[in-house]
Structures are given as C-alpha cells and as structure tokens.
Amino acid sequence: MSTTPEPLESLAPTLSVRQVLMLERVLAGEPEVVAGAGQLDRAVRWVHVAEAADVGVMLSGGEMVLTTGVLLAGDDGKQAEYIQSLHRAEAAAVVLGLGRAFPAPPDVMRRAAERCGLPMVVLHRPFPFAELTEEVQARLVRRKFAAVSMSEAVRTALTGLITAGAPLQHLLDEIAHHSGCPVVVTNLAHRVLATAGERSAVDDVLRDWERIARQAGGSEGDGWIRAELGGRGERWGQIMLCGYRGDTATGRLLADRAAESLVLHRMLGGTSAHSWEEQSAQSLLTDLVSGVVPARQLLPRARAAGLPVNRRTFVPLVVRHGDPAELDRVLRLLGLPGIVAELADGATAVLLSLARDQDAAVLTANFAARLTQTVVAAADPRTAWDDVPAGMREARHVADAVASGALDLPAVVRLKDVHLRGLIRLLRDDPHVQSFAERELDGLLCAAGDDLLAVLRTYLATGRNKSRTAQLHHVSRPALYRRLEAIQGRLGVDLDDFEQAASVHIALLAHDAQQA
C-alpha cells in the first residue's frame, strides 16, 4: 500500500471562480459578485488581462478575464457585446476593476452577464492585475503538475500490483485508498461484482444500490464518478467512485487510471481462473457459511449482486465435487434465481431464492436430477434472511457427512438422511472421540491393515451383508470370510455381536471423519 495521498482538494488541476475570489490578494480588492452568482464553481483554466473590446476572439474557453473597461465606457452597445463575446468564448468569469471608467457596476454589463449566466465580479478598491495573474497562473501550474503526479503515482501503484499477480480486491483497495471513498465495480446489468473502501460506507452505498443503479446512466454529480470498463470495442462493466469529495476533474482522472488498470488485470487473467462474477459470489457465500459477518450486514451485498431477497424462500445447498459452471448453467436452464460459488475442499455452495408460492422440495429435486454423478446436500428452506447462514452451515455439515462414505443415499440429502454419520462428523474433533476411535481400531491402523480397514468399512456400511461386501471388493465369499476373521482377530471383537459391531462402526465413522 502506498503512503497517505495528498489531500484531494489540492490535486484539482484547476481553480474555481469561487476559489480565486477567496485568494488573499483578491479579497484585498473588496470583490463583489454582481451577476452569475450561481456559476461560481466554474473552472478557471487561465487568467487573462485584456482591455480590447473584441477580447472574445482571443479566448479559447475557461479564462477569467480581468479588465478596467476603459474602452467600453459610455457605449452601452459595446458593453453588451463585450459580455456576449465572453459568453460565446465560454469564458469562466469577468472581473471589472472600478475606477475612472466605471465608478460603479455598469447596469448594462450586469444585466447582460446575468442573462448569459456569466459570473461578473467588480473590485471596489484598486488592484494590481499583474500580481493576481502571477499568483493564479503559479497555482494552476502547481495543481496541474500535482494532478499529473497523482495520476502517475496511482498508475505505478496499480501496475506494480498487477505485475505482482495481486487479486482484484487488492487493486480496488488501492483505488479506494487514493480516492478516499467507496469504490464499486459492476457488470452491464449494474450488478455489483466487487467493492472496496470503509466497510460502513460501502454498506451505506449498497443499501441504496437499487436507486443508484437506476441512475447509473445519468450525468455525474455529487461525487459520483464513473468510468467504463471494456476493450476491443466491447463494454462489460464500469467502476464507480461513490461520493468522491475532491475536484471532479481529479476524480475523473483517478477513475480513468483505475479503469485502465482493471481492464489490464482482467486481460491478464489476474491470479485466479475465476471470473469477477464468480469471485463476488464466492466472497458472499463464504461469509454466509462462516457466520463471521452478521447476515443483516450481508443483505445489501446479496441484493446488489442481483439475488432477489424480498419475501423469498431461501434454499441452501452444497454440492460435493460439483462444477460451478455446470451448476450455474443448470440454474439458468431451470430459471431458478440463485448464486453459485466454490468453497474449500471441493465443495460448491448454491443459494436458491424462490418465490414463496414455489415448491422448494420439487425444484431442488429437479435441480439435483440435472446434475451428473453428484449428491446435493440441502438444508431445510429458510424464509428469513437472518436464518440463511445457519442453513448454509447445515448444508455444509450434511455434505461433509456424505463425503465420509455413506452409501445408497437419495439425490438430495438432508440432515435426517445422515443419521449417526452426521453426529459423528460434528464430534470428530473431540479428544475423547479421537481416543475412542484409535483404541477401537488400533489393530488395523497401520499400513498393513489398510486393505482390511477398507473391507471392514464396506461390511459395516452394507449392514454386515457378506454377499454384497464380497461383490463390491471383487473377492469370493471364502476369501471374504478369511479377511473378516483376520479383522476380528486384530481387533479382538466378534462382529456378529451387535453391540461390539456397533462400537467398531462408530469408531470407524469417527476415524474417517477425522481423516477427511
């Protein structure tokens, strides 16, 4: 992270008319705004001293013109045309020094300036125009240099992050650091893909995102500055500075530098194979599963990501070894609103958002039926958003229990389907359970016992069905009998005794859960 940036206001490459009038030297001239008071935030690109009546032809726009009006005195037509020419040339303002030519503000010029919306300022005390010109020009040069330096500093910092293979979030954090405001990246549908900035400020933006998204195509104002994201003639998103407090021109420069870097980052692929949309969903679902962030704080992120959240039924699912791209395609094919993201350990989370009158069980079954060679772990539907994190953890727990080796399960597995295996999964880290598993299985917990352990696992999982066990291990029944005798000898148990077999089965479930 770079050092603390220079105050944003000092980086504006221009001064406004209002800022010029607040300079100490100008205040000494007792300035009075007599027309165009509503246009004092116009940018002053340059200061020009001119007494020529046709000064407009010498301007290129954005100049503050200083004059005594000596060539305009006594001619109302010239005075009106003078103001009109400044307006046509898009001058920033006109400053008239009162004196011999005009001892008081001329009404003709004042009325013409008011009609044009041109700020007109009179100075009631004599004022050396050369000193003002020198000071303003020096300030403008310094500001332009500071703006260019800021732009290059941001570009250098972001390029360094990209070169180092930093993820998208690190780039956005750097942009938010320089801008001092929330930063939001969206796709063309205005769905939020990523954010950065102070968490509370970002949450405030996301809570009002529907209104902001509707106005996203409008003009910029009040610190809302956008830059398009795209390349090779194709737009695919935008970055927005939300509530930028500095000068608009500086904000635009910063947004453009940020957009250039994000486009480059996307073209190079970053450090992850995931798209930005997938990263956004992954961040949201990971936070939901972990429960570290309160659900209420995640609601604006879910809504901004395009997930329907008002009066909905939420169905948390976890799919083991599922392809997130396939799951997303199935959701789209079935027309089911939801988000998909890969979690750790080969698990993929899916959060369905259904209308209250839809049958969650039927739609979940339809979803599972479209998948190939996967088991879908489902939690009971939730109608309150605050209950979704617990539902996600329940689905994750069920998926973990399924992964430890259950046989003959339905396509959609729920908590009631994992029975003892689910309980053991919850208790796997308890030292007493670990000690019990090692004590019960001690005779098989060695390299030489791996094959026998596999046979024992199948035998118990099939309800001690010898024929089925022999078939699954591709051995004859006499060969299986010999292995079962070896297992009983090593463990010192009688597997025909229900209580002893149950004890060994529980120990084996605990062992497998710990290994997983």
Side-chain angles (χ1 to χ4, degrees), residues 455 458 467-477 479-480 483:
V455 171
T458 305
S467 297
R468 180 65 173 153
T469 303
Q471 181 183 11
L472 290 174
H473 283 271
H474 307 289
V475 297
S476 65
R477 289 186 60 126
L480 175 65
R483 295 186 185 186

Side-chain angles (χ1 to χ4, degrees), residues 419-495:
H419 306 295
L420 179 62
R421 190 181 303 274
L423 176 62
I424 295 299
R425 190 77 181 182
L426 286 176
L427 300 175
R428 63 179 176 176
D429 293 326
D430 187 295
H432 295 91
V433 174
Q434 294 173 357
S435 178
F436 169 76
E438 291 181 8
R439 184 171 63 251
E440 289 289 304
L441 301 175
D442 182 58
L444 296 180
L445 296 181
C446 60
D450 284 347
D451 290 342
L452 295 179
L453 199 63
V455 171
L456 175 63
R457 183 180 293 110
T458 305
Y459 180 61
L460 295 174
T462 59
R464 295 184 292 176
N465 187 319
K466 295 182 176 64
S467 297
R468 180 65 173 153
T469 303
Q471 181 183 11
L472 290 174
H473 283 271
H474 307 289
V475 297
S476 65
R477 289 186 60 126
L480 175 65
Y481 295 156
R482 288 193 294 271
R483 295 186 185 186
L484 290 177
E485 288 174 1
I487 291 170
Q488 293 181 107
R490 288 197 180 198
L491 298 182
V493 298
D494 179 5
L495 292 179

Side-chain angles (χ1 to χ4, degrees), residues 7 33 37 80 99 120 234 237 259 305 327 397 429 467 469 494:
V33 179
M120 178 176 174
E234 181 183 8
L327 301 181
H397 164 60
D429 293 326
S467 297
T469 303
D494 179 5

Side-chain angles (χ1 to χ4, degrees), residues 153-304:
V154 172
R155 177 185 279 126
T156 299
L158 295 178
T159 301
L161 289 172
I162 294 172
T163 303
L168 170 66
Q169 190 60 52
H170 288 187
L171 270 71
L172 295 181
D173 289 341
E174 184 74 14
I175 296 165
H177 172 70
H178 282 278
S179 66
C181 68
V183 175
V184 176
V185 176
T186 73
N187 61 14
L188 293 180
H190 305 303
R191 292 186 175 181
V192 174
L193 305 181
T195 62
E198 184 182 347
R199 190 71 260 167
S200 60
V202 171
D203 288 344
D204 287 342
V205 169
L206 296 184
R207 268 190 288 272
D208 201 25
W209 187 251
E210 281 190 34
R211 180 187 64 81
I212 295 170
R214 286 197 301 270
Q215 299 176 352
S219 58
E220 295 176 347
D222 298 326
W224 298 88
I225 300 175
R226 296 180 303 278
E228 300 296 333
L229 301 175
R232 300 173 183 172
E234 181 183 8
R235 289 174 54 243
W236 38 262
Q238 69 175 1
I239 181 172
M240 180 181 291
L241 308 184
C242 304
Y244 179 74
R245 296 186 302 276
D247 177 83
T248 299
T250 304
R252 162 55 54 194
L253 194 62
L254 178 56
D256 288 343
R257 294 295 84 77
E260 290 172 5
S261 298
L262 295 187
V263 170
L264 178 60
H265 181 273
R266 179 149 174 159
M267 288 175 59
L268 295 178
T271 58
S272 171
H274 298 299
S275 69
W276 289 358
E277 291 86 352
E278 290 170 334
Q279 291 181 46
S280 175
Q282 184 180 50
S283 173
L284 174 60
L285 288 182
T286 298
D287 285 345
L288 279 170
V289 171
S290 70
V292 173
V293 182
R296 187 56 51 183
Q297 293 184 21
L298 297 174
L299 184 59
R301 286 170 56 187
R303 182 184 289 112

Side-chain angles (χ1 to χ4, degrees), residues 350-421:
V350 181
L351 179 60
L352 301 182
S353 175
L354 308 177
R356 292 283 176 87
D357 58 354
Q358 291 181 293
D359 191 322
V362 171
L363 292 176
T364 302
N366 290 343
F367 172 72
R370 297 272 183 168
L371 305 179
T372 57
Q373 298 181 340
T374 56
V375 175
V376 176
D380 291 334
R382 264 63 175 176
T383 56
W385 175 259
D386 286 348
D387 295 334
V388 170
M392 294 301 305
R393 290 192 291 275
E394 179 183 316
R396 181 65 180 270
H397 164 60
V398 173
D400 287 347
V402 171
S404 62
L407 300 176
D408 300 323
L409 289 169
V412 179
V413 186
R414 305 182 189 279
L415 192 59
K416 63 182 179 61
D417 299 314
V418 296
H419 306 295
L420 179 62
R421 190 181 303 274

Side-chain angles (χ1 to χ4, degrees), residues 492-507:
V493 298
D494 179 5
L495 292 179
D496 289 329
D497 181 88
F498 176 78
E499 184 173 339
Q500 293 184 54
S503 181
V504 171
H505 194 187
I506 292 171

